[in-house]
Amino acid sequence: MDQRNGAGRSVGPMATGWDTYRDDQLALLDHLEIEQCMLVGSCIGPSFIFNLIKAQPSRFRAAVLLQPIGLAYHTTEAEEWPGLNHFASQHWFGSWAQAILANQLAERWELSDLYKALFAGRTFVFTATRTEVANMSTPLIVFAGVDSNHPTQTARDIVNLAPHAILVEGWRMMPGLAEVETRVHDFLKAHVAPTVSSPGQNPKHSTSEPNQIVDSATPEEGSKVRIVGLQQRRDLNGRLGVVVGPFSGGRLRVHLGNAEYVRLTPEHLVDEGWEL
C-alpha cells in the first residue's frame, strides 16, 4: 500500500488520520471500477482493512490479516515488555517520520498531528473498537504476530471477537512459506464470488455451486490460469500464469513471469476467466 509519502513513489499532502488512507483506497477501487474484492494486509495493513470493512462491508468478501499491529500486553512472545506496548507505535512511526523529515516531505508539526490522530486515545487495532470487530460478518483468517510490534494477543482477540474468523499461530515455523501460501489461497478461493455470465455467452466457469470455480474446458492459449492441487512442487500452488501453448503428453506450457515456465496438465490449472 503506497501511503502517500515514504512507502512508494507517490508524493502528496500529508494524511490527517486513518480516514485519509481509507478514502485513498476506496477512490482507487472506484477508479479501477472494482465493485467487490478481497483484502490482504500485513502489519499496519489489517488496521487499514478494518477501516475499509467499517466503511463498505458489502464490498469486501473476505480478508487475510498477517501479523496485525495493536495495543496489547505481552503473552507468549519471546520478547517481553512491561504493560501495554505503546512504545511500539512510537518506534516505527518515529523511524518513518525521520525519513519524511529528511526528504522534506512534511513539517514536524504535521507529523506530530498525524501521530496523535492515528494513535492517541485509540486502543486495540487503532481503527476499530472491540464492539465493531465483533459486529463484522466478513470472513477473516488471521496469522498471529510474535513480537511487540505485532502482539500475539491482538490476533487472538480479533479471532475471539469476529464471528467468522480463523486463527493461525506458529506459521513462521511452517516448512518454508508454501504451506502459508496454500492456506491463504484456499481461504480466498473459498470466498470467490460466483461468476455470472451474460445472456448468450458460453461460460468458462460453472456457477452451479456458490464460491466454487470449476474449469469446464482446457484453458486456451493466452488464458490466465492459477495452479492448484500439485502434490509435488507444492510451492507452485496458487501461482498465476499465462498459457503460452501446448506441450507433449497433453501438458500445457505456462509462463509464470520473468523467464520462468512450467509444463502442467490441465487438471492442475484453473482458468481465471480472461485472456490476453
Side-chain angles (χ1 to χ4, degrees), residues 207-269:
T207 59
S208 57
E209 296 184 33
N211 298 335
Q212 182 176 2
I213 296 179
V214 180
D215 185 29
S216 60
T218 299
E220 300 174 353
E221 184 173 339
S223 296
K224 182 180 179 183
V225 293
R226 185 183 298 277
I227 300 171
V228 297
L230 285 178
Q231 297 305 313
Q232 302 294 327
R233 297 210 55 191
R234 292 182 61 190
D235 58 304
L236 290 176
N237 286 330
R239 294 283 298 276
L240 292 174
V242 176
V243 176
V244 294
F247 199 74
S248 62
R251 293 176 293 173
L252 297 172
R253 193 163 183 255
V254 181
H255 181 215
L256 301 180
N258 297 323
E260 188 177 3
Y261 293 83
V262 294
R263 296 178 293 275
L264 299 170
T265 56
E267 66 182 295
H268 295 300
L269 301 173

Side-chain angles (χ1 to χ4, degrees), residues 14 48 98 179 221 251 254:
M14 182 56 56
F48 289 144
Q98 289 301 316
E179 188 171 344
E221 184 173 339
R251 293 176 293 173
V254 181

Side-chain angles (χ1 to χ4, degrees), residues 191-214:
H191 298 288
V192 171
T195 303
V196 179
S197 301
S198 301
Q201 284 187 331
N202 183 21
K204 290 189 176 182
H205 296 158
S206 167
T207 59
S208 57
E209 296 184 33
N211 298 335
Q212 182 176 2
I213 296 179
V214 180

Side-chain angles (χ1 to χ4, degrees), residues 11-264:
V11 176
M14 182 56 56
T16 57
W18 292 106
D19 290 352
T20 302
Y21 301 122
R22 178 203 63 197
D23 293 345
D24 284 352
Q25 293 151 7
L26 293 174
L28 178 60
L29 291 175
D30 291 342
H31 173 73
L32 297 175
E33 298 182 351
I34 298 174
E35 295 183 3
Q36 276 196 332
C37 66
M38 293 180 283
L39 302 169
V40 179
S42 178
C43 189
I44 197 173
S47 295
F48 289 144
I49 286 172
F50 283 124
N51 217 22
L52 287 168
I53 293 173
K54 281 169 53 180
Q56 296 185 8
S58 63
R59 193 167 194 170
F60 307 107
R61 297 184 60 83
V64 178
L65 312 182
L66 297 159
Q67 51 184 16
I69 62 172
L71 199 62
Y73 293 97
H74 169 264
T75 54
T76 55
E77 299 87 349
E79 167 199 4
E80 296 186 19
W81 63 87
L84 291 170
N85 60 331
H86 289 284
F87 63 91
S89 60
Q90 294 168 358
H91 173 73
W92 59 259
F93 184 93
S95 298
W96 173 78
Q98 289 301 316
I100 294 295
L101 290 171
N103 290 306
Q104 300 181 336
L105 296 174
E107 299 292 335
R108 190 174 296 274
W109 66 265
E110 291 180 291
L111 293 166
S112 177
D113 285 353
L114 177 58
Y115 180 83
K116 292 174 184 175
L118 295 178
F119 301 111
R122 293 177 179 268
T123 60
F124 194 31
V125 293
F126 305 119
T127 57
T129 65
R130 293 174 183 273
T131 299
E132 288 170 332
V133 171
N135 288 328
M136 290 181 180
S137 59
T138 305
L140 309 172
I141 185 168
V142 186
F143 291 79
V146 291
D147 55 56
S148 59
N149 288 332
H150 319 92
T152 306
Q153 192 60 43
T154 296
R156 292 169 179 163
D157 287 347
I158 290 169
V159 173
N160 286 335
L161 291 165
H164 304 292
I166 301 167
L167 177 65
V168 181
E169 293 194 42
W171 56 283
R172 291 176 176 273
M173 303 301 292
M174 293 178 180
L177 287 177
E179 188 171 344
V180 176
E181 292 174 1
T182 300
R183 291 288 298 270
V184 171
H185 171 259
D186 291 347
F187 173 80
L188 294 176
K189 183 179 178 181
H191 298 288
V192 171
T195 303
V196 179
S197 301
S198 301
Q201 284 187 331
N202 183 21
K204 290 189 176 182
H205 296 158
S206 167
T207 59
S208 57
E209 296 184 33
N211 298 335
Q212 182 176 2
I213 296 179
V214 180
D215 185 29
S216 60
T218 299
E220 300 174 353
E221 184 173 339
S223 296
K224 182 180 179 183
V225 293
R226 185 183 298 277
I227 300 171
V228 297
L230 285 178
Q231 297 305 313
Q232 302 294 327
R233 297 210 55 191
R234 292 182 61 190
D235 58 304
L236 290 176
N237 286 330
R239 294 283 298 276
L240 292 174
V242 176
V243 176
V244 294
F247 199 74
S248 62
R251 293 176 293 173
L252 297 172
R253 193 163 183 255
V254 181
H255 181 215
L256 301 180
N258 297 323
E260 188 177 3
Y261 293 83
V262 294
R263 296 178 293 275
L264 299 170

